[in-house]
Amino acid sequence: MSHKRIPKRKAAIAVGGVAALGAAALLLPQANASQDGGARGGASTARTLKADDADDLAARLSKLLGDAFAGSYYDSANRQLVVNVTDVSGDNNVIVQAKKAGAEVRQVDNSTAELQAAARTLRTKATIPGTAWAVDPRTNKILVTADSTVTGTRWDRLESTVDGLGSGMATIKKSAGTFKTFVSGGDAIFGGGARCSLGFNVTAGDGSPAFLTAGHCGVAAEQWSDAQNGAPIATVDQATFPGNGDFALVKYDDPNTQAPSDVNVGGGQSVQILRAAEATVGQQVFRMGSTTGLHDGQVLGLDATVNYPEGTVTGLIQTDVCAEPGDSGGSLFTQDGGAVGLTSGGSGDCTSGGETFFQPVTTALTATGATLGDAGAGDGQQAGGDQQAGGDQQAGGDQIGGGQEAGAGAGDGSDGPGAADDPSGADASNGQAPGTGHASGTGNAGRSGRSGLTDTH
């Protein structure tokens, strides 16, 4: 992200609100699928949709189908919305309505109410540090994940609880890492000896410029700087962690701060953030953090519960996107400018992989009373301005992975408060994100005349 007062020049390489993100080999062919409602193949009448449109359709069908609706997910290969329905007692009208609306319909065994009841049982009987669970609509089960610390009697307790839910209700997956929050570090921010990443710039309810980051960062320090050991430039206004989320609203101390609504992905490139977006299971998403740079993956589950050592957090998004210490609070977004989440925590790293959980941006905005978009930027680049999503240049015109790689150039951490300056020693120190070949936000690679809490990732 870019964050503070900026010269009135455009450093973003954006087409229709979408920049060519510099992540090697992350090509998205046909990312902007047609929405003509035509049939795919002979028998199917499901429409081809973009992920955002699929989420809108899922919301409408959830209301239309009522108790018969048992979740949905986005089939990214066919670009279709798949809707689960339970036994409708011969009422084919339910299926007919869903198909007419453009969804692929699949009958499943577990209803939404049954899955929610199972999740409550897990919360009551298996709230064990190092465990997490979320509904996976692709399997119509609850996916329970246990990290490497869950052994012995704790594993027995978890396994017994899952077995007690009944056959076909839940599955257990072991993670090689340990669940933890990623405090250490879009742009790096520093406070109270901790390093985090800024998520998205917003406008607070009183009209002042602010940004969102992880709640566990917000409770770790009251004031935050754009440089290690630098003067504070922003103060925490609200923070939630643990409990019903992991988010914080941090207000810039200077009310004239220009806070553009974009994500700086390094290499002089950025993605304009146009709106807050709900996550959809199966959707491809991108994460930017100051330690590991740009990585992508898929949404695996919604309304996830994670039992961190510090306490239980509910309402998160589960993904297979990697992250590492220092990425906390960083941006989770879509190719076409949708702000989806804030990095919370998880297990693994960007070499071996793992799970990462994110705070939904929509929930954080509602809770804090903030709105997404530029706060006093003054340069005409307001979200929803002349670069509307869905204009002449749709997502997919410039594919992610097109253009130059983020971090091409000098990314050795020589110029910025990068990992080498982190007293915790937890951050990568070579200026490159493992496995991506682009800058992790510690050197010149992210500097292109952009402003920000730091101009690098």
Side-chain angles (χ1 to χ4, degrees):
M1 287 288 291
S2 294
H3 310 295
K4 60 180 180 182
R5 198 171 310 167
I6 62 174
K8 289 185 172 65
R9 57 178 173 175
K10 300 177 184 177
I13 302 174
V15 178
V18 181
L21 299 186
L26 299 184
L27 297 176
L28 297 183
Q30 298 178 327
N32 185 43
S34 66
Q35 300 181 54
D36 55 10
R40 294 182 52 84
S44 174
T45 59
R47 297 168 56 198
T48 56
L49 300 165
K50 293 188 297 181
D52 283 354
D53 295 322
D55 180 67
D56 291 340
L57 177 57
R60 295 198 301 271
L61 287 176
S62 175
K63 295 178 181 178
L64 177 67
L65 301 179
D67 292 340
F69 182 82
S72 64
Y73 64 94
Y74 183 61
D75 179 352
S76 59
N78 293 319
R79 303 184 300 281
Q80 294 176 341
L81 175 70
V82 180
V83 172
N84 295 333
V85 297
T86 51
D87 184 4
V88 292
S89 301
D91 183 6
N92 289 328
N93 186 51
V94 169
I95 296 177
V96 170
Q97 289 181 82
K99 286 185 174 180
K100 281 185 177 181
E104 182 75 21
V105 180
R106 185 179 71 151
Q107 188 159 325
V108 295
D109 294 329
N110 299 320
S111 69
T112 297
E114 289 170 334
L115 292 169
Q116 290 174 342
R120 288 193 297 271
T121 299
L122 287 166
R123 179 72 183 271
T124 301
K125 297 183 177 181
T127 297
I128 302 166
T131 61
W133 51 81
V135 173
D136 180 2
R138 289 175 292 191
T139 62
N140 187 232
K141 298 178 182 179
I142 296 178
L143 174 61
V144 181
T145 307
D147 73 13
S148 59
T149 67
V150 182
T151 59
T153 57
R154 293 196 298 174
W155 170 259
D156 293 342
R157 174 181 160 195
L158 179 64
E159 192 173 40
S160 174
T161 303
V162 170
D163 289 344
L165 298 176
S167 176
M169 185 61 69
T171 58
I172 301 180
K173 173 186 174 183
K174 282 287 278 184
S175 175
T178 59
F179 289 152
K180 56 185 180 295
T181 54
F182 290 131
V183 176
S184 151
D187 290 351
I189 54 175
F190 303 86
R195 175 182 175 182
C196 288
S197 296
L198 187 149
F200 299 97
N201 280 314
V202 297
T203 302
D206 61 2
S208 61
F211 63 83
L212 293 174
T213 190
H216 63 266
C217 298
V219 300
E222 182 180 4
Q223 294 185 307
W224 290 85
S225 172
D226 60 351
Q228 194 169 31
N229 301 319
I233 64 167
T235 303
V236 174
D237 181 71
Q238 303 176 47
T240 296
F241 178 83
N244 296 324
D246 185 3
F247 56 89
L249 177 70
V250 188
K251 291 184 179 179
Y252 291 102
D253 296 335
D254 180 356
N256 295 316
T257 295
Q258 294 183 4
S261 186
D262 62 12
V263 175
N264 177 2
V265 297
Q269 301 190 43
S270 69
V271 173
Q272 294 298 119
I273 297 301
L274 304 173
R275 66 198 180 282
E278 297 284 358
T280 301
V281 171
Q283 173 185 29
Q284 186 170 32
V285 285
F286 293 81
R287 177 197 58 75
M288 190 66 196
S290 64
T291 299
T292 57
L294 181 67
H295 288 269
D296 81 315
Q298 280 196 349
V299 175
L300 301 179
L302 305 178
D303 196 22
T305 294
V306 185
N307 297 300
Y308 292 123
E310 300 91 341
T312 299
V313 179
T314 60
L316 301 183
I317 301 165
Q318 183 171 354
T319 76
D320 62 4
V321 186
C322 71
E324 296 182 10
D327 289 329
S328 278
S331 320
L332 185 73
F333 57 96
T334 62
Q335 181 187 18
D336 58 354
V340 175
L342 308 166
T343 306
S344 174
S347 67
D349 54 38
C350 289
T351 299
S352 60
E355 303 84 18
T356 302
F357 300 90
F358 295 85
Q359 165 66 47
V361 165
T362 51
T363 305
L365 291 173
T366 299
T368 60
T371 54
L372 193 67
D374 296 0
D379 61 358
Q381 294 299 303
Q382 296 283 346
D386 59 353
Q387 295 185 345
Q388 294 283 348
D392 292 336
Q393 298 292 334
Q394 297 276 355
D398 269 2
Q399 293 177 343
I400 294 180
Q404 60 183 329
E405 290 187 10
D412 61 359
S414 58
D415 258 315
D421 296 321
D422 183 4
S424 71
D427 293 330
S429 60
N430 61 5
Q432 290 188 334
T436 63
H438 63 272
S440 65
T442 59
N444 289 332
R447 295 188 183 274
S448 59
R450 298 193 59 75
S451 70
L453 279 173
T454 57
D455 292 334
T456 59
H457 282 264

